[in-house]
C-alpha cells in the first residue's frame, strides 16, 4: 500500500514537472548543443568521448571554478568576505598544491576515468542525442548522486579523522589550515581513492546516459571548490539549496580539524551532533557582531 502511494506521488510530481516544462520557452541553446553533441558522436569514438572527453571536462571545469577565488586574493574589496582573514593565500602554497593536483589528476584519476568507457559498454549506457534525458530528470539524478556521495563522504571522512590513521592519509589534505579553491582535490592518493568512491556509487546506480557523468562532475566540482574557496560570498546561489553546507561550514572543519565531516549537506552532522562546535562558534560570532 505504501509502495503504491509512493509511486503515485512520484508519478504526480513527474507529471507536474513535465507540465511546467511544457510552459517554458524553448531553450535557444538547445539546437547548438544538439549540433555540437552529434558532431562529437560523428567524429570521435565512444572510448575517446568517455575517456578523453571526461578528462577534458574535469580539467577545464576544475580550474575554471577555481578561478574566481584565485582572483579574489588580488581584489582588496573581496578581502572582507574571506573567512580566515589572518591566513592569506601564498604563492608557495598554491604552487605546491598545483603540482600535487597534476599528479593526482593524471596518475590517480586518469586511470579511473579510463574505466568509464568499459562501464558504459558493460551497462549499455547510451550516448545518442535521442536518448538524452530531460533537464529535470538530469537534475534529479544529480541530486541523488549528491545525497549518496555526501553519505559516503560523511562516514569515510569521519573515519579518516580517527587518531590511529589520520596522520597517514587525511593529514595531507589538512596541510593548509585556511583552504582555497584549488585545494579541493589536494589529498593523499589513498584518500582520492577512498573518498572518490562515493562519487562513482551514484553513477553506477543512477546513470542512464553518458551526459550524467559530465553533469555530475560539474555539480560535484562546483560544490567542493565552493566549500573550499575560503570566501563566504553574499548571494551565492548555492546557498539557496536546502541544507547546503557552504564554505563557512567546511572552513570551520579545516580551521579546527574536527566536526563538519559532510561534503555537501548538513543533515548527517546534525543527526550525529558533529556540528555542535560549529553551531556554538556561529552563535558566538553572531553575539559578537550584535555587541559591536
Amino acid at each position: 500500500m505504501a509502495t503504491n502511494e509512493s509511486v503515485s506521488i512520484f508519478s504526480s510530481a513527474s507529471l507536474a514537472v513535465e507540465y511546467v516544462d511544457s510552459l517554458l520557452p524553448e531553450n535557444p541553446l538547445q539546437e547548438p548543443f544538439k549540433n555540437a553533441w552529434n558532431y562529437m558522436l560523428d567524429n570521435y569514438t565512444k572510448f575517446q568521448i568517455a575517456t578523453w572527453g571526461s578528462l577534458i571536462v574535469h580539467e577545464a571545469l576544475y580550474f575554471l571554478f577555481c578561478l574566481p577565488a584565485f582572483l579574489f586574493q588580488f581584489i582588496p574589496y573581496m578581502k572582507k568576505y574571506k573567512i580566515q582573514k589572518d591566513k592569506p593565500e601564498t604563492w608557495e602554497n598554491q604552487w605546491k598544491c598545483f603540482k600535487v593536483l597534476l599528479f593526482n589528476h593524471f596518475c590517480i584519476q586518469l586511470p579511473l576515468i579510463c574505466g568509464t568507457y568499459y562501464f558504459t559498454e558493460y551497462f549499455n549506457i547510451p550516448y545518442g542525442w535521442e536518448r538524452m534525458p530531460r533537464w529535470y530528470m538530469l537534475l534529479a539524478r544529480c541530486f541523488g548522486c549528491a545525497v549518496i556521495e555526501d553519505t559516503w563522504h560523511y562516514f569515510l571522512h569521519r573515519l579518516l579523522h580517527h587518531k590511529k590513521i589520520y596522520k597517514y592519509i587525511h593529514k595531507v589534505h589538512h596541510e593548509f589550515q585556511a583552504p582555497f579553491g584549488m585545494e579541493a582535490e589536494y589529498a593523499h592518493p589513498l584518500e582520492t581513492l577512498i573518498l572518490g568512491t562515493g562519487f562513482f556509487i551514484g553513477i553506477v546506480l543512477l546513470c542512464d546516459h553518458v551526459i550524467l557523468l559530465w553533469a555530475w562532475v560539474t555539480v560535484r566540482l562546483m560544490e567542493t571548490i565552493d566549500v573550499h574557496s575560503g570566501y563566504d560570498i553574499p548571494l551565492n546561489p548555492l546557498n539557496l539549496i536546502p541544507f547546503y553546507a557552504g564554505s563557512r561550514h567546511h572552513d570551520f572543519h579545516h580551521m579546527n580539524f574536527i566536526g563538519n565531516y559532510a561534503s555537501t549537506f548538513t543533515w548527517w552532522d546534525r543527526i550525529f551532533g558533529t556540528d555542535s562546535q560549529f553551531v556554538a562558534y556561529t552563535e558566538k560570532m553572531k553575539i559578537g557582531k550584535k555587541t559591536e
Side-chain angles (χ1 to χ4, degrees):
M1 185 68 177
T3 303
N4 291 335
E5 289 180 359
S6 297
V7 171
S8 178
I9 291 172
F10 283 117
S11 297
S12 299
S14 179
L15 289 172
V17 173
E18 287 180 14
Y19 175 70
V20 172
D21 182 52
S22 68
L23 299 177
L24 296 175
E26 186 176 347
N27 184 354
L29 299 177
Q30 181 170 322
E31 194 62 27
F33 180 64
K34 177 182 178 181
N35 293 335
W37 189 269
N38 286 329
Y39 176 86
M40 179 182 70
L41 294 178
D42 292 338
N43 290 275
Y44 300 96
T45 66
K46 286 185 177 180
F47 178 82
Q48 289 173 324
I49 293 169
T51 305
W52 304 117
S54 297
L55 177 66
I56 291 170
V57 167
H58 180 273
E59 295 305 300
L61 291 178
Y62 189 89
F63 291 106
L64 178 64
F65 292 154
C66 287
L67 187 58
F70 175 77
L71 294 176
F72 289 164
Q73 64 184 309
F74 306 112
I75 305 174
Y77 177 79
M78 299 305 297
K79 290 183 179 179
K80 65 180 180 179
Y81 299 121
K82 184 167 175 58
I83 300 170
Q84 297 187 55
K85 294 180 175 60
D86 60 328
K87 297 182 178 68
E89 300 91 338
T90 66
W91 283 108
E92 181 183 1
N93 286 345
Q94 290 174 100
W95 175 240
K96 182 178 182 180
C97 178
F98 180 72
K99 290 186 291 184
V100 172
L101 280 179
L102 291 182
F103 174 82
N104 283 347
H105 286 183
F106 291 96
C107 297
I108 307 298
Q109 294 182 12
L110 179 56
L112 297 176
I113 291 173
C114 288
T116 301
Y117 165 74
Y118 301 101
F119 163 75
T120 60
E121 287 295 293
Y122 184 82
F123 289 100
N124 198 28
I125 304 298
Y127 286 65
W129 177 265
E130 67 282 354
R131 299 285 299 278
M132 186 81 70
R134 297 292 295 171
W135 64 269
Y136 48 85
M137 292 305 299
L138 197 60
L139 194 62
R141 288 178 184 272
C142 282
F143 177 74
C145 287
V147 171
I148 293 169
E149 189 283 330
D150 182 69
T151 302
W152 176 272
H153 190 100
Y154 175 84
F155 292 103
L156 272 295
H157 182 196
R158 189 173 178 180
L159 178 63
L160 289 176
H161 271 269
H162 192 282
K163 61 183 180 180
K164 290 186 178 181
I165 58 175
Y166 171 79
K167 65 180 179 179
Y168 299 110
I169 302 175
H170 192 53
K171 186 178 180 180
V172 173
H173 183 67
H174 277 279
E175 184 176 338
F176 308 120
Q177 193 172 0
F180 47 92
M182 193 166 53
E183 192 222 355
E185 292 185 349
Y186 179 89
H188 189 286
L190 276 178
E191 178 174 341
T192 300
L193 294 172
I194 293 168
L195 296 185
T197 300
F199 173 89
F200 291 103
I201 294 174
I203 291 296
V204 171
L205 297 176
L206 301 174
C207 189
D208 62 346
H209 193 282
V210 72
I211 191 66
L212 179 66
L213 294 168
W214 295 354
W216 172 220
V217 165
T218 303
V219 170
R220 179 67 180 125
L221 289 181
M222 189 184 304
E223 176 276 324
T224 191
I225 291 170
D226 175 58
V227 301
H228 284 92
S229 68
Y231 290 84
D232 186 18
I233 307 299
L235 304 179
N236 183 343
L238 292 178
N239 291 332
L240 297 176
I241 300 172
F243 302 103
Y244 180 65
S247 55
R248 284 196 175 275
H249 186 271
H250 195 69
D251 204 281
F252 181 86
H253 173 79
H254 274 264
M255 185 166 51
N256 295 278
F257 308 103
I258 191 171
N260 292 6
Y261 298 111
S263 61
T264 307
F265 304 107
T266 57
W267 49 59
W268 288 117
D269 282 298
R270 290 184 182 181
I271 291 171
F272 290 99
T274 46
D275 66 344
S276 58
Q277 291 188 30
F278 173 67
V279 172
Y281 172 79
T282 303
E283 289 300 317
K284 183 178 178 181
M285 294 295 291
K286 287 181 179 178
I287 295 172
K289 287 183 178 180
K290 289 180 180 179
T291 56
E292 287 179 357

